[in-house]
Amino acid sequence: TLWSWGYNANGQLGLNDITHRSSPTQVGSLTNWKLITCGYYHTTAITTDGKLYSWGFNHTGQLGDNTITHRSSPTQVGSLTNWKQVTGGGYFTTTIKTDGTLWTWGSNPFGQLGDNTITHRSSPVQIGSLTNWRQVVGGPYHTTAIKTDGTLWTWGYNNRGQLGDNSITHRSSPVQVGSLTNWKLVSCGVYSTSAIKINGKIG
């Protein structure tokens, strides 16, 4: 079951209203929720049957339902059933399907969607044609991902060097960080990125 609480001005709690909650409240009656992630004011989740749902603030299409309409209850994104992983950035969403492809949508002023543009997207757009993406994490304005070969990739806002490519240049498509192939896990801060290698050391 799915539960939410806190700030709800944009329906991001998924309770079909905009009332704030100070204690856990069940969202609907489904019992097959598998993964969930939060952006600034929107929420995205995957069910055990591979469906993708989103709700909350949608001013730049971050819900992925081909609209800019805010939603106060879970709304399915398309009809596909092969969504595997999802991460919520500030005002955007990035996902990986079971076939290893990478998809993204929402706000894109700094290229954080990775589709080689700075155009906002209100529905899922595939990033390249690769099928070996393993993990993806969104920060407020940048994205970081690891491929199945252990390489580390970043894109988006880079004013503090958060992309790790030895520059402060924004990137609108994935750029490899160094040449190592032993990256295991990655996490994004507001203007920083941290990762763990297979040897257990933090990079």
Side-chain angles (χ1 to χ4, degrees), residues 26-158:
Q26 186 171 350
V27 180
S29 59
L30 294 180
T31 58
N32 65 334
W33 297 102
K34 180 180 180 181
L35 295 172
I36 191 166
T37 184
C38 295
Y40 274 165
Y41 304 109
H42 75 288
T43 309
T44 311
I46 296 175
T47 52
T48 55
D49 56 2
K51 295 177 182 177
L52 182 68
Y53 291 82
S54 61
W55 56 97
F57 198 43
N58 195 31
H59 75 310
T60 54
Q62 56 263 55
L63 299 188
D65 65 351
N66 203 31
T67 77
I68 53 171
T69 302
H70 309 323
R71 309 287 185 182
S72 61
S73 59
T75 302
Q76 188 173 350
V77 179
S79 59
L80 297 178
T81 58
N82 63 339
W83 301 101
K84 181 180 180 181
Q85 185 194 343
V86 62
T87 181
Y91 297 108
F92 67 100
T93 306
T94 307
T95 59
I96 295 175
K97 291 183 179 179
T98 55
D99 62 4
T101 57
L102 182 66
W103 298 75
T104 187
W105 56 92
S107 179
N108 195 31
F110 305 106
Q112 57 262 51
L113 298 188
D115 66 347
N116 204 31
T117 76
I118 53 171
T119 302
H120 303 325
R121 308 289 185 180
S122 61
S123 58
V125 175
Q126 186 174 351
I127 307 307
S129 58
L130 297 178
T131 58
N132 63 339
W133 297 101
R134 178 167 58 83
Q135 184 203 9
V136 64
V137 177
Y141 308 106
H142 74 290
T143 309
T144 308
I146 296 175
K147 293 181 180 178
T148 55
D149 62 4
T151 56
L152 180 66
W153 300 74
T154 59
W155 58 97
Y157 198 44
N158 195 29

